[in-house]
Amino acid sequence: MASTASSGKTPAQLLAEQHEAHHATVEETIDAEDIEHPPPFHHTEETKDAAAAPNGTANGMMSTKAAGKQKAKEQTGPLDTQDEEAFPTLGASSKNTAKAPGWGSKGTLNAAASPALSSKAPATARPARSPAPTSGGQLNMPGQHCDSFDIETQDLDKTKSLKTVLDAAKRKYKVNTDVQEINAGKTRRFIAQGMSAVGVRQALMDISKAISVEKTITFQIPTSVTGMIVGKAGANIKKLQTDNGVDIKIEKQGDAGLDGQGTSQVKIKGDAAATRVVRAEIEKVVKANQPKVNLPMREIPPEFYPFLASRHEQDVQRLRDQHNLDIDIPQYNQWAAQPPPRPVARGARPQFVPHGDSYITLAGEQAGALQAKLALEALVQQLEAELMLEELTCEQVLHPYLVGDRGMSPEEFMQRTGCALIVPPGHEETDEVHII
């Protein structure tokens, strides 16, 4: 402090004089990472040239790193914080920024498909809700409930004003209802949307009752699944009736037959749309719980077999496809236990009766087999009202030349004539043949 006072200089001035002989310079040195990671072998000559050139250049050209540093030095002015290149967005591409689609856009609202809603989002972020399109192709708005039902156009009550019915439901339940035509105009779809799920459901029930005619449908189900449909103390069937405004009755159709499979008849009464919905619900339960069966149809006389297999071939094939069944119809061109019955009078229709031990069999799910059985029985009733029988005499030695190994096939005879030719077995001494 004394020397400072005597010289009259401040400590800063003294310190500057002490280091006056030292001149600091700034030189470009090799970066540490360049020493640890030298350039590839094929760039060695280029590197040497760059080192030999002044200012870190080679052939008058700056190296990439030097150019980058030079570019950084030349940048002036304030920083642009909105520059995506200088400040890339975290967690998303800087060039393909995802934009959430609006309600009117065609983009999907699926969060899994949107980069902006990826799994890397912060844990505190609330997940976006993806509205699911309804069966009518509309979007279920957040906080809104949506439901729909279909009705055949032919089941609509033409005396009712559709606009009046929809307006009444809107005022009562605060529900908007849209109507669409589907299935080439054969079906109408009613789509309701509102704040309350109960209100939407009740509105659809009121609309269905108001615009559709009353209908009663009956169908059969396996007795084995009846308990699942009725439920404990009738809980399931009561819920179906309450939710859809219909009346349901299930009656057992006698005891199980020789095949061990019993059936029950379901009778549904209500408006056309509701009966259709309830039947679909019941058949869904039946399909999920029904057993596999191999159902023989012993009650069909064999005289009908050729006509079911030929004239109604398309109907039988449709039953196979519709119910996913194997339907086997035995060939019948030669009687075994007894011949076809003679008509009681000339010109009268024959009264065919079941006989023999070859039966039509239906193999597949029980409910489908029962439905196909009913359809085949209806075809048989139709044939009973159409078929006639003619009894002719032909020497027995000629029978094999009519239909069989030495004659034409039964299918070809049916195709040519529209008739079935039935011959006796070889051990029967009779010349009678029957044409049906």
Side-chain angles (χ1 to χ4, degrees):
M1 293 293 296
S3 61
T4 302
S6 60
S7 61
K9 297 181 180 181
T10 65
Q13 292 174 338
L14 294 175
L15 188 61
E17 291 177 356
Q18 181 180 353
H19 297 283
E20 184 178 1
H22 180 72
H23 299 281
T25 59
V26 178
E27 299 180 358
E28 183 176 354
T29 60
I30 300 177
D31 289 346
E33 75 174 288
D34 289 343
I35 298 176
E36 296 178 2
H37 305 285
F41 176 76
H42 60 278
H43 292 300
T44 303
E45 296 299 329
E46 181 181 347
T47 306
K48 291 180 179 180
D49 293 341
N55 298 327
T57 63
N59 299 329
M61 299 288 292
M62 284 188 182
S63 66
T64 303
K65 177 170 287 193
K69 294 180 178 180
Q70 183 67 23
K71 182 178 180 181
K73 294 178 181 179
E74 294 174 356
Q75 290 180 350
T76 57
L79 293 176
D80 184 5
T81 58
Q82 302 300 320
D83 186 357
E84 287 289 336
E85 184 176 356
F87 300 93
T89 303
L90 295 179
S93 172
S94 61
K95 295 184 179 180
N96 298 320
T97 305
K99 182 179 180 182
W103 289 112
S105 68
K106 297 182 179 179
T108 177
L109 295 181
N110 186 359
S114 175
L117 299 176
S118 64
S119 60
K120 296 181 180 179
T124 56
R126 184 177 179 179
R129 180 178 178 180
S130 300
T134 66
S135 57
Q138 296 198 352
L139 288 176
N140 188 9
M141 299 279 287
Q144 295 276 315
H145 298 273
C146 189
D147 203 350
S148 66
F149 73 88
D150 296 346
I151 183 173
E152 300 293 333
T153 304
Q154 62 183 6
D155 292 332
L156 290 173
D157 188 348
K158 305 299 189 299
T159 63
K160 301 293 181 65
S161 170
L162 183 58
K163 184 178 185 304
T164 302
V165 173
L166 298 183
D167 289 344
K170 182 177 182 179
R171 289 192 301 270
K172 186 175 182 180
Y173 300 105
K174 303 297 187 291
V175 168
N176 293 317
T177 307
D178 183 34
V179 184
Q180 298 179 351
E181 288 190 0
I182 59 176
N183 194 20
K186 297 180 181 179
T187 306
R188 298 283 184 90
R189 175 166 291 167
F190 291 79
I191 308 170
Q193 194 167 8
M195 298 297 294
S196 169
V198 176
V200 169
R201 182 78 178 179
Q202 192 61 46
L204 289 178
M205 287 180 60
D206 287 3
I207 293 171
S208 177
K209 290 180 181 178
I211 66 171
S212 61
V213 296
E214 189 173 271
K215 210 170 184 180
T216 300
I217 60 173
T218 59
F219 57 99
Q220 289 186 330
I221 62 172
T223 303
S224 58
V225 300
T226 302
M228 301 177 187
I229 295 171
V230 174
K232 186 176 181 180
N236 295 345
I237 198 169
K238 288 178 182 177
K239 188 176 188 306
L240 280 175
Q241 292 181 129
T242 303
D243 290 350
N244 298 279
V246 299
D247 181 60
I248 306 173
K249 292 183 179 179
I250 301 179
E251 298 178 355
K252 187 177 180 181
Q253 300 292 295
D255 297 329
L258 296 176
D259 51 15
Q261 307 298 333
T263 60
S264 296
Q265 179 176 277
V266 181
K267 185 176 182 180
I268 306 173
K269 183 179 180 181
D271 63 85
T275 56
R276 177 179 177 178
V277 171
V278 173
R279 178 171 184 170
E281 289 293 328
I282 292 176
E283 289 180 341
K284 185 188 300 183
V285 176
V286 171
K287 186 174 180 62
N289 296 279
Q290 63 188 318
K292 300 287 185 180
V293 297
N294 192 1
L295 181 65
M297 299 187 65
R298 296 182 175 89
E299 65 279 4
I300 296 183
E303 286 81 8
F304 295 110
Y305 295 174
F307 299 93
L308 292 174
S310 58
R311 184 186 297 183
H312 292 285
E313 179 183 7
Q314 292 184 355
D315 295 322
V316 174
Q317 185 59 46
R318 185 160 46 249
L319 292 174
R320 290 189 180 103
D321 297 338
Q322 181 179 354
H323 301 290
N324 193 24
L325 295 173
D326 290 330
I327 303 178
D328 179 49
I329 302 177
Q331 189 179 75
Y332 180 74
N333 67 295
Q334 184 181 83
W335 58 267
Q338 65 184 53
R342 294 178 179 178
V344 294
R346 188 171 182 82
R349 298 193 183 278
Q351 299 297 317
F352 298 118
V353 294
H355 62 87
D357 55 1
S358 295
Y359 313 110
I360 297 175
T361 56
L362 313 175
E365 294 179 347
Q366 187 177 22
L370 292 175
Q371 295 295 326
K373 179 176 179 287
L374 293 175
L376 290 175
E377 289 173 347
L379 292 176
V380 169
Q381 290 181 356
Q382 179 182 337
L383 289 171
E384 284 181 339
E386 299 173 353
L387 299 183
M388 299 292 291
L389 183 143
E390 188 74 26
E391 187 177 280
L392 302 176
T393 300
C394 179
E395 292 183 18
Q396 189 172 14
V397 69
L398 299 178
H399 291 178
Y401 297 94
L402 297 176
V403 173
D405 296 337
R406 301 181 183 181
M408 68 177 63
S409 67
E411 293 80 12
E412 184 180 357
F413 188 89
M414 172 68 74
Q415 185 177 2
R416 289 189 179 187
T417 65
C419 300
L421 179 62
I422 312 300
V423 299
H427 63 271
E428 292 286 343
E429 295 182 1
T430 177
D431 294 336
E432 293 178 350
V433 295
H434 300 80
I435 298 178
I436 304 173

